Amino acid sequence: KQWYQRRVAITAGGFRTLGKGTLVTGLRDVPGSGLFFVLYEYLISKYGESPTCITMAGGVAGVLMWFVGVPPDVIKTLYQTAPHGKYKSSLQIVPELYKSEGLSGFYKGFGPSGIRAFLANGICLLTYDLVIKTWQKLYPLANMNINHSTNEY
């Protein structure tokens, strides 16, 4: 099915269609991921490394990541799903969306994304931390000394 969809996309808009929205995806992921790790490390250094703190820090950082990432994601989705030739650039969507829906139009889907981000990132980072600590206990010679408070790895 994926090959069929790619063939239809290439037939309709050429090979450039396959990369449509890549720049906006970068504008979503790069700042969001940067803020995610900065906030996570800050919260861990401030509140400690208990399982509850790690889960909460991961969850809060995940929500912030999507708060920053949802507007570019909405623009990317509108750009990618628009009929071929409607927009020459994803930037054309910004004033149109703002005029029709206001600022809230850029945050479509933030509620479900925020809930999912809190749960997924909190659980993921807690699991990662528990696996690393278990590994350190089982294999002390391969100790990957991770200390959040000093940012030394």
Side-chain angles (χ1 to χ4, degrees):
K1 185 174 180 172
Q2 290 177 350
W3 288 107
Y4 173 75
Q5 291 170 338
R6 289 182 185 125
R7 192 176 79 217
V8 168
I10 291 169
T11 303
F15 281 99
R16 291 187 70 206
T17 307
L18 297 178
K20 189 176 181 180
T22 302
L23 180 62
V24 184
T25 302
L27 292 174
R28 174 194 71 189
D29 292 345
V30 172
S33 297
L35 285 172
F36 173 84
F37 286 108
V38 167
L39 181 59
Y40 174 74
E41 289 294 333
Y42 169 77
L43 292 172
I44 290 298
S45 67
K46 183 170 177 134
Y47 296 107
E49 297 183 42
S50 72
T52 301
C53 290
I54 290 170
T55 304
M56 295 300 288
V60 169
V63 171
L64 176 66
M65 181 179 83
W66 277 105
F67 184 77
V68 170
V70 165
D73 194 57
V74 168
I75 293 166
K76 174 195 65 83
T77 300
L78 291 172
Y79 183 58
Q80 288 177 329
T81 59
H84 178 68
K86 180 174 181 180
Y87 301 111
K88 290 183 180 182
S89 164
S90 58
L91 292 176
Q92 291 178 307
I93 294 168
V94 174
E96 184 180 302
L97 181 60
Y98 185 76
K99 185 178 179 182
S100 66
E101 299 185 42
L103 193 58
S104 65
F106 292 95
Y107 284 92
K108 292 179 189 174
F110 176 68
S113 294
I115 293 168
R116 182 200 57 80
F118 186 88
L119 296 171
N121 289 289
I123 292 168
C124 180
L125 288 169
L126 175 62
T127 303
Y128 172 80
D129 193 69
L130 292 173
V131 166
I132 291 296
K133 286 177 181 171
T134 302
W135 182 269
Q136 289 173 344
K137 287 178 185 174
L138 292 174
Y139 303 102
L141 294 177
N143 193 353
M144 299 169 33
N145 188 18
I146 295 178
N147 186 345
H148 291 284
S149 59
T150 60
N151 290 325
E152 294 176 4
Y153 298 91

